[in-house]
Amino acid sequence: MEKHRMLVIDDDPIVSQVMQMLFETELELTCKITGEEGLKAVAEEKPEIVLLDIEMEGMDGYEACRRIRQLDLPLQPYVIFVSAHSDPVKRLAAYSVGGEDFVSKPLQPQELVRKVEQALGYRREIHELKSQARGAMSVAMSAMTDSSALGICLQYFRRLFQAGDSGQLMRTTLDALKEFGLDASVQFRDNGEVKTLSSESGNSQLESLLLQDLSAERQHIVCYDSRCAFNYGPVSLLINNMPVYDIERCGKLKDYLALMAEGAAERAGAMIQDSVAAGLGQTGTALAAIIESQRAGQADARALVGAMRARMVDMLGNQPLAASLLALVDETRDSLDGLQLRQMRELEALGRRLRDVALRE
């Protein structure tokens, strides 16, 4: 186990000997005899505790402590001042330059050991509090990130179900993916017609072909390196810059993107059904018009045949050919009626089938 580090800055060799006797086996101990040497040792060795004499030649303890507090260190050391003078003014001066504790000379071993143990305990508490703070900050940032991502998804679904055609659906999807900072392509497929839109280049033929190939895969999500495809029904997404370096964010993004792709597929399916239903409705309307026209034509044909027969009766009277000619006219009329009746029945049957298909859709 790594030892805790303590630096002694004192020009009295007796103090250094006492420190080595008390702490050499428990701590990694360094001794310096001037403030300048001690300041350099703090910067290089980064001790956890500094035992600092006040009265030294050259730089005194107050100035040394002041400069220690100005150093850019990961964690400042716990400074315990040592002095033969323990009057309130010296103690106050020690605390004002950044000291945390004070020990009077001559040194009392038990008191000194207690002070060092107390300093180490304080350091452990600071370390634990910082760890907890980092953990809390990480959780808070993660929660904020999740909240932002959910907001993007909710806004996307609101806009998605207002999209009236495939172009709006693809643009809405790319806008949402851009909010995630993603470079993407979206593909919409409907009965052999394929439309692809990319965030960067507008429409990449290579990405279009790649998405068509990936849509044949049975897996909903297919990933390779930083690229990831999401395939749901008539819609596919291709993400070109998944943050694979951040495993947690990448995993959450996959969940959000799968949800978005599935929602886009549902909306696309509804659009396709609406398009089919609209087409069936138009066909049914046209068919109804055809049936009405057929009925009107049938009535006109019967009227024409009837007028022609009456005219023949007036013209032929009781001539020998009259009966056979009128029989031929009647036979033609009956054949025409039969043909028109069959056509009407076929048209009406087709109309019923179209209505059944429309109801199923």
Side-chain angles (χ1 to χ4, degrees):
M1 181 178 177
E2 186 179 356
K3 292 182 179 181
H4 294 288
R5 298 177 302 280
M6 185 167 77
L7 171 65
V8 178
I9 308 174
D10 198 313
D11 56 2
D12 185 349
I14 296 176
V15 172
S16 296
Q17 291 174 5
V18 171
M19 295 301 163
Q20 290 175 352
M21 179 183 65
L22 291 175
F23 300 111
E24 192 171 30
T25 59
E26 301 295 330
L27 304 175
E28 183 180 324
L29 191 64
T30 302
C31 296
K32 300 296 179 182
I33 60 174
T34 67
E36 291 83 359
E37 290 179 355
L39 187 63
K40 183 178 179 182
V42 170
E44 293 176 352
E45 300 179 16
K46 299 176 179 59
E48 298 167 76
I49 301 172
V50 173
L51 201 67
L52 180 58
D53 187 21
I54 292 178
E55 297 172 351
M56 295 182 293
E57 292 292 330
M59 185 187 298
D60 64 14
Y62 296 137
E63 182 61 23
C65 186
R66 190 179 291 111
R67 294 194 185 186
I68 287 172
R69 293 310 184 209
Q70 293 173 355
L71 293 175
D72 184 14
L73 301 171
L75 187 61
Q76 281 282 332
Y78 189 98
V79 176
I80 303 174
F81 274 98
V82 179
S83 177
H85 305 284
S86 59
D87 59 273
V89 175
K90 287 191 177 293
R91 286 179 179 269
L92 184 60
Y95 292 128
S96 68
V97 295
E100 279 126 333
D101 210 338
F102 196 98
V103 177
S104 299
K105 291 182 179 180
L107 297 175
Q108 301 296 321
Q110 290 182 344
E111 181 187 12
L112 191 57
V113 170
R114 181 178 62 80
K115 295 274 188 179
V116 170
E117 290 178 347
Q118 181 178 310
L120 291 174
Y122 173 78
R123 295 279 298 193
R124 282 192 295 270
E125 289 179 4
I126 292 294
H127 179 73
E128 290 173 2
L129 287 172
K130 287 196 171 185
S131 296
Q132 291 172 8
R134 283 193 295 268
M137 182 61 71
S138 176
V139 171
M141 291 300 295
S142 179
M144 289 172 63
T145 302
D146 288 346
S147 177
S148 174
L150 286 172
I152 293 172
C153 288
L154 288 174
Q155 187 65 24
Y156 168 68
F157 283 117
R158 291 192 190 101
R159 293 172 181 170
L160 178 65
F161 287 96
Q162 293 173 357
D165 56 43
S166 59
Q168 289 182 1
L169 182 147
M170 290 190 291
R171 287 190 295 273
T172 297
T173 302
L174 287 178
D175 288 344
L177 295 175
K178 186 177 180 180
E179 291 189 59
F180 281 114
L182 299 174
D183 170 26
S185 297
V186 183
Q187 187 171 91
F188 181 100
R189 298 175 295 275
D190 178 15
N191 293 327
E193 183 182 6
V194 179
K195 299 177 183 178
T196 306
L197 191 63
S198 301
S199 56
E200 292 297 325
S201 56
N203 187 358
S204 167
Q205 185 65 23
L206 178 62
E207 290 181 343
S208 178
L209 293 173
L210 178 60
L211 281 170
Q212 289 182 67
D213 290 341
L214 290 174
S215 67
E217 297 286 339
R218 292 184 178 181
Q219 292 177 293
H220 286 308
I221 303 175
V222 181
C223 295
Y224 179 76
D225 198 15
S226 62
R227 289 196 167 196
C228 206
F230 299 81
N231 302 302
Y232 287 85
V235 172
S236 293
L237 310 180
L238 176 63
I239 312 300
N240 296 312
N241 59 335
M242 289 292 287
V244 292
Y245 53 85
D246 187 339
I247 296 175
E248 182 179 2
R249 180 168 180 257
C250 191
K252 289 181 178 180
L253 265 179
K254 283 184 181 179
D255 292 338
Y256 293 132
L257 295 175
L259 185 65
M260 291 171 64
E262 193 169 3
E266 288 292 331
R267 180 60 183 141
M271 286 180 180
I272 293 170
Q273 289 181 357
D274 290 344
S275 176
V276 171
L280 289 172
Q282 293 173 1
T283 303
T285 301
L287 184 61
I290 291 172
I291 292 173
E292 280 301 315
S293 175
Q294 189 74 7
R295 284 174 177 164
Q298 182 179 1
D300 291 343
R302 288 180 64 84
L304 181 60
V305 171
M308 184 171 59
R309 188 179 189 284
R311 177 93 180 191
M312 289 178 67
V313 169
D314 291 339
M315 291 177 60
L316 297 175
N318 294 323
Q319 294 183 27
L321 292 175
S324 59
L325 288 174
L326 289 175
L328 180 60
V329 169
D330 291 340
E331 183 180 348
T332 301
R333 181 194 61 200
D334 293 341
S335 297
L336 182 61
D337 286 346
L339 176 61
Q340 290 177 332
L341 181 61
R342 287 194 299 276
Q343 290 176 339
M344 286 294 297
R345 286 175 177 172
E346 289 175 0
L347 287 171
E348 289 171 352
L350 179 58
R352 287 194 296 272
R353 286 199 295 274
L354 285 173
R355 284 194 297 273
D356 291 342
V357 171
L359 288 174
R360 285 198 299 273
E361 294 294 332

